[in-house]
Amino acid sequence: PRLRVGGPATMALEEVEPFVAACRASSTPVDFVSSHLYPTSPICDTSATARDPDCFAHKVLSASDAVHKAGLPFFLTEYNNGLGDSSRDDASAAAFVVRNVGLLASVDLVSWWTFSDIFEEAWMASAPFHNGYGLMTVHGIRKPAWRAFEMLTSLGDYRLPVSG
């Protein structure tokens, strides 16, 4: 096995292209480029982007394409259906998963934040549904987003084109 080194693991896709350029200019080897983004990020809430329901995917794909042009893989190491008031405990989270997994198919790695509501930043609330970040509650109940990933996994890897 080989240790892979990358970064910058920034929030909101910040500094992705400058990171690649700086590594190239200094001949610093890097194996991958990583960042985070949430659809509730301010970059998807501007006058130019607020009307784009797929702003999240478009921003991720733009960063991924830029990194791929440099010959490197792009890892979206933290995302979910949004921070703050967005609901991570109901069917809207599942709808977000189903919509975006297909849109982000060309991204080398995507990682939902987080696996479980057992999470120190949220102070591990004991209520089973408290809008925690996890795919399952502190009691192990699988949330709708978990079930969406489960359903998509069961479909296989063949996609039919759809138009219209």
Side-chain angles (χ1 to χ4, degrees):
R2 188 177 86 109
L3 178 64
R4 294 175 57 168
V5 177
T10 58
M11 65 175 211
L13 307 173
E14 292 177 356
E15 305 299 322
V16 168
E17 291 181 63
F19 174 76
V20 172
C23 289
R24 294 288 187 240
S26 64
S27 299
T28 302
V30 62
D31 296 306
F32 62 88
V33 177
S34 61
S35 190
H36 313 125
L37 185 64
Y38 293 88
T40 52
S41 169
I43 68 172
C44 282
D45 193 22
T46 68
S47 59
T49 60
R51 288 194 165 95
D52 178 5
D54 293 322
C55 175
F56 167 78
H58 292 151
K59 295 293 185 183
V60 171
L61 292 172
S62 177
S64 180
D65 289 347
V67 170
H68 287 158
K69 285 179 185 168
L72 295 167
F74 178 71
F75 298 167
L76 182 65
T77 54
E78 186 177 313
Y79 85 108
N80 62 32
N81 66 310
L83 303 176
D85 293 333
S86 64
S87 179
R88 288 168 296 280
D89 288 345
D90 67 20
S92 66
F96 178 84
V97 168
V98 170
R99 173 72 179 160
N100 283 280
V101 163
L103 294 175
L104 299 177
S106 65
V107 178
D108 300 290
L109 179 141
V110 293
S111 179
W112 186 270
W113 188 259
T114 72
F115 183 71
S116 165
D117 282 350
I118 299 175
F119 178 60
E120 85 286 353
E121 287 181 20
W123 299 101
M124 294 186 277
S126 62
F129 294 99
H130 64 276
N131 201 27
Y133 297 114
L135 290 168
M136 69 174 145
T137 71
V138 294
H139 306 291
I141 301 167
R142 273 71 172 162
K143 296 182 187 182
W146 173 295
R147 298 299 182 194
F149 281 117
E150 184 177 53
M151 179 194 71
L152 291 171
T153 299
S154 72
L155 295 176
D157 59 3
Y158 183 76
R159 295 181 69 193
L160 295 172
V162 176
S163 63

